[in-house]
Amino acid sequence: MIQKEFEEYMKKFKKLPLKEKQSIALDQLKLLVGLAQEMCKATDVKSEMIVNRELIDTNHNHYTQDDFVEAVVVYINSIQNLLCDYNLK
């Protein structure tokens, strides 16, 4: 059933404008960073999220495609670092 629901979600997602798709992708990455931070916090793992200009650039409506891709890479690296910190504990 989950597969079918996801297929429907993707059909709707594909029809959205690019900026809206990007916004959803960034929101999902932020959610994953938050979840990884909570996992670390719950197990007393010292960790921190990477915050830099690339993330700040995407907080405005007028960001470039380069800003978007750079922010995605920052979020992915944050998630990787948090999960590695968690795994090492």
Side-chain angles (χ1 to χ4, degrees):
M1 189 62 144
I2 292 174
Q3 182 68 30
K4 187 175 180 180
E5 291 170 358
F6 185 73
E7 298 285 333
E8 284 299 313
Y9 171 79
M10 287 306 298
K11 281 182 190 177
K12 292 176 184 176
F13 181 82
K14 289 178 184 181
K15 295 177 185 177
L16 298 173
L18 181 60
K19 283 286 187 184
E20 203 167 332
K21 289 177 184 176
Q22 290 173 337
S23 178
I24 290 168
L26 291 174
D27 286 346
Q28 290 177 342
L29 286 169
K30 289 175 191 177
L31 182 68
L32 286 172
V33 168
L35 177 62
Q37 284 178 317
E38 286 301 313
M39 288 169 52
C40 289
K41 207 181 290 183
T43 54
D44 294 325
V45 173
K46 185 178 179 188
S47 64
E48 61 183 73
M49 181 187 148
I50 300 168
V51 178
N52 63 7
R53 187 176 105 359
E54 283 74 22
L55 296 184
I56 295 166
D57 288 345
T58 58
N59 286 334
H60 306 96
N61 287 334
H62 303 292
Y63 58 83
T64 66
Q65 298 303 312
D66 282 338
D67 292 335
F68 171 76
V69 173
E70 291 162 1
V72 166
V73 170
V74 172
Y75 280 125
I76 290 170
N77 276 278
S78 285
I79 294 165
Q80 288 173 334
N81 290 341
L82 290 163
L83 291 177
C84 285
D85 291 343
Y86 178 81
N87 189 50
L88 288 173
K89 175 94 178 190

